[in-house]
Amino acid sequence: MRRLDPLWQRAAVLGSLWAGSEIVLGSFLHNLRLPFAGHVLTAIAVAILVAGHRRWPVPGLLVRAGLIAALMKSLSPSAVLLGPMVAIAMEGLLMEAAVRLFRARPAGYLVGGALAMSWTLAHKLVTMVLTYGPDLVRLYGDIIALAERQVGPIPLGPWGPLVVLALLNLAVGAGAALVGLRLGREAPEPEPGGRRKNGSPEAGGPRREAPGPGVSPSLPFLLLWAVALPSGLLGLATLSLGWKVLVVAGAVSVAVGRYRRVLRRLGRPGFWVTLLLLTTLTGAVVSALADGSGGGWLRGLGLGMGMSLNAVFVTLCFAALSAELAHPLLREWLERVGGGRLHRAMQAAFATLPAVVAALPGGREFLRSPLVALGALLARTEEWLGTLAEPPRILGVVTGARGEGKTTVVAGVVDRLRGAAVRVGGILAPGEMREGRRWSIDLVDLASGRRVPMATRDPLCEWPALGAFKVAPEALALGAAALSPEASAASDLLVVDEVGPWELGGGGWGPALDALHGGGTPLLLVVRRSLVPDVLGRFAPGSDAPVWDVAVTGADEIARAVLAELRR
């Protein structure tokens, strides 16, 4: 992979931090049903962007970070991603425009923060109108008319409450920018090693559902939904209620037949029943009170049902579009944009994301001390930027299924290489299997030959618990030393047995591998067969390292291939 220029590296770090907050903190806030959760996330994003730009004041940083964060939003478990992705990209664009206009002076950051926050309000209003249709506008007018009957004329009429909301958004956005300016100046020192969320050596760190549409993307279907969305909205705004039902029923039948996995995320009967009841009854009650006659009830019921049908149609369309946008031709086009720099930046951002997510505080911890939490995260941006330097050279990967003998084969490879005068360092992790599962694991320092117990499932063991295992702190320290840059410099080849979910989650030997960026010693990794793409994507984006499967390749053949690579 060609080296990524510094501007895109910095954008990848900021974009990854922004996306991480959206994915992790966003899920927490939405699960709490916190009002204005989107505004809270935008305020966090503004503070991150302002502080990041104060440290790296280069043109184009903010708009690139917004684009990267928007594309990374695809990791979110939400089924409808297109709207939030557009909102994130626009926030980055508005911040960039304001900062450039004011030449990176404090006023530019304040204006940029105010504009980004205002876009959140505008996006919310437009989304609501698109979701519920023009009937929502009529219902809003009825609510204002009812309020004026009770309290008298409202300044600016229907526009009055919207103007107040706009002013509040401007103030909150500027306040978030002030926080970012302060954090950008303070640059607190990171804690040694950072805060990490570790899993167990076998079970791994936190897991999430693999992103993906669950359907083979199709350009004709992408075109179909791209046309259906605006034309359907136009029809729902003008057709009678009966025709609206037919339009939505047709969309539902197509979507259910093609997007079962995507729609499972939307399959919350309680949500849809509540939506239908609230929109229908709200429309009926408000219209009846505003109209003052029995006919208002019927008109309101029609408005409410129309809003519900509009919501179902828009939700299905965006879910379908999100699935079809994963088409490989679109991804190939993305790789060509800007000479492939955006694609490489995305690879770098995804490589940084596990460390970012591991460093994110818990939701409650963040709400208790948001400034401290943000400051600690921003203090690690230089550390994450450093990991985007020259990645370690992965000479090759030895793979196989759990319990298939990967460690035994690699031990044979090490013996043969040493016979050829190769200095082999790193670690092996031989273990004991009981009843078809790993019961205990030892750690072998290949440079010194020292072997110590590292993990066990024995419930009587007094080591600290980590997932299903008890893990020896002494063994972790020995492994970290065996994989240190100093140990790497004294070796011709560094073996890492093994790299798995624990490392992908930011724990285990992950920090040691990150610290090897910029070093010249090649690595031989041991990786479970199902995790090879994830491990290479995390620790060596773009690597074309050979993969040797122990089911078909023995120690002699692997050793000859490794020796040939070392002598090239």
Side-chain angles (χ1 to χ4, degrees), residues 18 22 45 49 61-73 81-97 116 119 123:
W18 186 353
E22 285 278 341
L49 291 179
L61 176 67
L62 301 180
V63 67
R64 286 169 172 80
L67 182 58
I68 290 170
L71 293 172
M72 294 182 74
K73 180 67 176 176
L81 302 171
L82 197 56
M85 290 169 67
V86 171
I88 290 171
M90 282 300 301
E91 288 162 12
L93 179 61
L94 291 170
M95 289 285 295
E96 179 74 33
W119 175 262
H123 180 81

Side-chain angles (χ1 to χ4, degrees), residues 108-383:
Y109 295 112
L110 298 179
V111 171
L115 290 176
M117 188 64 70
S118 298
W119 175 262
T120 300
L121 174 64
H123 180 81
K124 182 70 173 177
L125 294 176
V126 171
T127 300
M128 290 177 66
V129 173
L130 283 175
T131 301
Y132 298 105
D135 290 338
L136 179 66
V137 178
R138 288 190 282 271
L139 182 61
Y140 174 70
D142 290 342
I143 293 174
I144 295 299
L146 178 61
E148 288 185 325
R149 288 183 186 178
Q150 303 298 319
V151 301
I154 295 176
L156 302 178
W159 292 101
L162 298 179
V163 170
V164 172
L165 282 176
L167 291 175
L168 287 174
N169 274 264
L170 290 170
V172 172
L178 284 174
V179 171
L181 287 170
R182 173 183 169 184
L183 293 174
R185 289 194 302 266
E186 289 179 351
E189 291 295 326
E191 295 181 8
R195 180 180 179 276
R196 298 184 180 274
K197 299 176 183 176
N198 293 331
S200 70
E202 187 74 13
R207 295 176 182 267
R208 59 175 176 265
E209 182 182 351
V215 66
S216 178
S218 163
L219 288 179
F221 270 100
L222 176 62
L223 180 61
L224 170 67
W225 289 107
V227 173
L229 180 58
S231 58
L233 289 174
L234 179 61
L236 291 172
T238 57
L239 295 173
S240 64
L241 184 59
W243 282 105
K244 289 180 181 181
V245 172
L246 290 177
V247 169
V248 175
V252 169
S253 62
V254 174
V256 169
R258 179 165 172 79
Y259 308 103
R260 293 184 183 276
R261 176 177 169 184
V262 172
L263 295 181
R264 275 203 302 269
R265 299 177 183 176
L266 297 173
R268 296 177 291 168
F271 166 76
W272 290 109
V273 171
T274 303
L275 171 69
L276 293 170
L277 288 175
L278 283 179
T279 52
T280 303
L281 293 178
T282 300
V285 172
V286 171
S287 294
L289 292 175
D291 186 79
S293 67
W297 285 94
L298 293 176
R299 174 176 174 269
L301 283 172
L303 286 175
M305 292 182 67
M307 290 164 55
S308 299
L309 291 170
N310 213 96
V312 172
F313 178 76
V314 170
T315 302
L316 290 178
C317 284
F318 276 110
L321 283 169
S322 297
E324 302 297 355
L325 284 171
H327 196 282
L329 289 180
L330 292 177
R331 288 201 300 266
E332 291 175 9
W333 172 80
L334 180 63
E335 292 178 10
R336 295 194 296 269
V337 172
R341 285 177 294 180
L342 176 59
H343 178 62
R344 296 198 301 278
M346 288 297 298
Q347 288 180 312
F350 278 118
T352 308
L353 186 61
V356 170
V357 171
L360 282 169
R364 291 180 176 82
E365 179 183 343
F366 184 88
L367 291 179
R368 282 197 300 266
S369 304
L371 292 183
V372 174
L374 276 177
L377 288 171
L378 290 164
R380 300 190 63 182
T381 52
E382 290 290 349
E383 170 193 335

